[in-house]
Amino acid sequence: MGRAFVYVILGGGVAAGYAALEFARRGVPHGELCIISEETVAPYERPALSKGYLLPEAPARLPSFHTCVGANDERLTPKWYKENGIELVLGTRVKSADVRRKTLIIATGETISYKILIIATGFKT
Ligand SMILES: Cc1cc2nc3c(=O)[nH]c(=O)nc-3n(C[C@H](O)[C@H](O)[C@H](O)COP(=O)(O)OP(=O)(O)OC[C@H]3O[C@@H](n4cnc5c(N)ncnc54)[C@H](O)[C@@H]3O)c2cc1C
C-alpha cells in the first residue's frame, strides 16, 4: 500500500498553488495535503512566462515568481510547503484515477490514496 492523504491536489499549477495557500491559512494539519505534479518545480505564476520572465532587466525567475506573488501574496517556495507540512510530489505523472476506491496510480506504479481529490490539471487546447 502506498502513501495516504486526506486531500490530494492533482496538478501543480496556478490553481494548486493558490489552493495550497488557502489550505494553510485554514490550518490544514501537517501531512494531510499533498500536491502531485508532472512538473519538477513547485507551482509558479505561469502568466509571468509571457511577461516578467522575458524582461532582460531584473528578470522574474524562480523562486521570484512562485505562486502567490501574482496576487501580491506569500511566495510559496519549496521551503514554504515543507514548513506548512504540505507534501510536494513533483516530476510525477498521475497515470490513472479510481474515484470509487479513491486512489491514484502514479508513473512509478505507486498507489496514492485520498479522501478528497481536487483536480487542477489545467486546460489544454
Ligand atoms: C505564457 C502564458 C501566459 C499567460 N498569461 C496569462 C495572463 O496574463 N492572464 C491570465 O489570466 N492567464 C494567463 N495565462 C493562463 C494561466 O496561466 C492559466 O489560466 C493558469 O495557469 C491555469 O491554472 P491551472 O492551475 O488550472 O492549470 P496549470 O497552471 O496549467 O496547471 C496544471 C498542472 O497540472 C499538471 N498536470 C496535468 N496533468 C497531470 C497529470 N496527469 N499528472 C500530474 N500532473 C499533471 C501540469 O503539469 C501543471 O502543473 C497564461 C498562460 C501561459 C502559458
Side-chain angles (χ1 to χ4, degrees), residues 3 14 19-20 28 33 39 49 67 90-91 103-104 119:
R3 288 171 278 183
V14 177
V28 67
L33 173 63
E39 294 181 79
L49 294 177
T67 57
L90 300 176
T103 55
L104 304 171
I119 299 176

Side-chain angles (χ1 to χ4, degrees), residues 41-91:
V41 293
Y44 56 89
E45 301 284 348
R46 214 175 293 282
L49 294 177
S50 61
K51 297 166 189 73
Y53 189 86
L54 302 174
L55 293 175
E57 73 282 353
R61 297 281 184 275
L62 287 172
S64 308
F65 65 101
H66 277 304
T67 57
C68 300
V69 291
N72 290 323
D73 217 313
E74 285 189 65
R75 188 166 36 133
L76 277 53
T77 60
K79 186 166 168 266
W80 181 91
Y81 288 94
K82 204 165 191 174
E83 285 169 356
N84 284 279
I86 297 170
E87 183 147 342
L88 285 178
V89 179
L90 300 176

Side-chain angles (χ1 to χ4, degrees), residues 10-13 37-39 44 46 92-94 119-125:
L10 198 184
S37 176
E38 204 172 1
E39 294 181 79
Y44 56 89
R46 214 175 293 282
T92 302
R93 180 169 179 76
V94 171
I119 299 176
T121 49
F123 177 75
K124 281 183 187 155
T125 51

